Amino acid sequence: MKRFFVNQNLQLNKRYKIEGVEHNHLKNVLRLSEGDEIMVVCGDEFDYLANIIKITKGDTEIEIVSKSPNLANPKSDVTVFQALVKSENMSLIVQKLTELGVKSFVPFLSEFITSKDKSNKSQKLQEISNQSVKQCKRSIPMQVSTVKTFDEILKDLEAYDIIIFANECEKNAKLGDLNLNPQSKVAIIIGSEGGFSSVEIDKLKNIGAKSISLGKRILRAETASIALTSCVMYLLGEWDYE
């Protein structure tokens, strides 16, 4: 069943309007009709079954007929802190981390970033996550933060039980050495295309962050982000079918 994201609270037996990109997709791409059933999510813990009541040029009117608990939302509390990379790569990272079940995403500035665009694109990235939940069947999008400085994320990291960062200079600690508790609040930190400076690595280690090697090959920033997150989610049991 086709799924749509609406940015408003939903209630049973109430009518709502789907507008903008979602309406265009429903009407002009999928060519759905009045009387068809769709699934709607709004960022809470539920999936909402709705009937299409009316389709006009500018919007689609729906009525919520039932709701059920969403079974695809992540159980683990994982945040990825990602140093800024090129815009198209950042969009890819947000899309894939949403699919993998990451709860929160924090873009940050670091010493060796090569991205020329250091502006705050959190609203655009949030929209990408909102759209991605439809494909992976989550009902709660990954929450995208505004861009922070490196020192700001160091302070934020104090709230986490386990802090992991990918370090291309690491020769000893490997992914297999991680002992992750599914109940832990986990932070994953990924550098930019230029990696971390020695000063940044020292600061991360000083707050208890675990330096992890991703193997003998140097990965692109977006590959490292997706690969490390995939491994962590597996170790946390998020790949189990329950």
Side-chain angles (χ1 to χ4, degrees):
M1 184 175 296
K2 301 303 181 183
R3 299 171 69 87
F4 297 87
F5 184 88
V6 296
N7 194 21
Q8 54 185 315
N9 295 327
L10 301 176
Q11 297 182 33
L12 288 176
N13 305 316
K14 298 288 186 179
R15 293 190 177 187
Y16 301 89
K17 289 186 177 181
I18 296 177
E19 301 173 314
V21 173
E22 293 289 73
H23 164 68
N24 180 67
H25 188 64
L26 182 152
K27 178 179 182 291
N28 299 318
V29 179
L30 298 176
R31 298 186 180 277
L32 297 180
S33 304
E34 294 174 1
D36 286 346
E37 289 186 335
I38 60 174
M39 195 67 73
V40 184
V41 296
C42 65
D44 63 12
E45 295 281 356
F46 298 94
D47 293 333
Y48 294 84
L49 180 66
N51 283 330
I52 297 177
I53 303 300
K54 186 178 181 179
I55 299 177
T56 67
K57 181 179 180 180
D59 59 53
T60 299
E61 184 177 3
I62 63 171
E63 182 175 6
I64 305 300
V65 296
S66 68
K67 73 175 185 177
S68 57
N70 179 278
L71 302 179
N73 287 322
K75 297 179 181 179
S76 303
D77 189 349
V78 176
T79 298
V80 172
F81 293 79
Q82 173 69 58
L84 290 184
V85 295
K86 294 178 181 178
S87 178
E88 62 271 20
N89 294 338
M90 190 68 93
S91 297
L92 174 67
I93 291 170
V94 167
Q95 181 188 68
K96 298 310 176 186
L97 296 191
T98 300
E99 294 175 20
L100 289 169
V102 172
K103 183 177 181 180
S104 305
F105 182 79
V106 182
F108 68 92
L109 302 171
S110 65
E111 187 173 343
F112 293 155
I113 59 174
T114 60
S115 174
K116 296 180 181 179
D117 183 6
K118 301 179 178 62
S119 60
N120 180 10
K121 298 293 181 66
S122 60
Q123 184 174 352
K124 177 183 176 182
L125 295 177
Q126 185 64 67
E127 181 59 30
I128 291 172
S129 182
N130 292 351
Q131 293 299 313
S132 297
V133 298
K134 299 187 299 181
Q135 184 276 326
C136 67
K137 296 188 177 181
R138 287 174 65 168
S139 66
I140 302 176
M142 181 175 69
Q143 297 303 303
V144 179
S145 166
T146 56
V147 176
K148 298 192 175 186
T149 66
F150 189 82
D151 286 340
E152 284 175 332
I153 71 162
L154 289 178
K155 186 173 182 180
D156 291 345
L157 288 168
E158 295 175 0
Y160 290 82
D161 302 312
I162 299 174
I163 308 168
I164 304 162
F165 73 100
N167 182 4
E168 63 187 47
C169 299
E170 179 62 55
K171 303 300 182 184
N172 299 312
K174 302 176 182 179
L175 282 170
D177 300 329
L178 293 175
N179 183 17
L180 300 181
N181 183 339
Q183 305 304 316
S184 298
K185 188 174 183 180
V186 180
I188 300 171
I189 312 166
I190 306 292
S192 67
E193 293 95 341
F196 293 111
S197 70
S198 58
V199 172
E200 289 170 335
I201 290 174
D202 288 341
K203 287 183 177 180
L204 288 171
K205 289 182 176 180
N206 286 340
I207 65 168
K210 300 179 185 296
S211 172
I212 293 295
S213 168
L214 296 183
K216 59 186 178 182
R217 289 176 292 277
I218 301 299
L219 305 181
R220 293 172 61 94
E222 63 272 22
T223 306
S225 187
I226 297 166
L228 180 54
T229 301
S230 298
C231 294
V232 169
M233 300 309 273
Y234 172 78
L235 294 172
L236 289 171
E238 284 291 335
W239 286 21
D240 296 340
Y241 197 87
E242 296 180 354

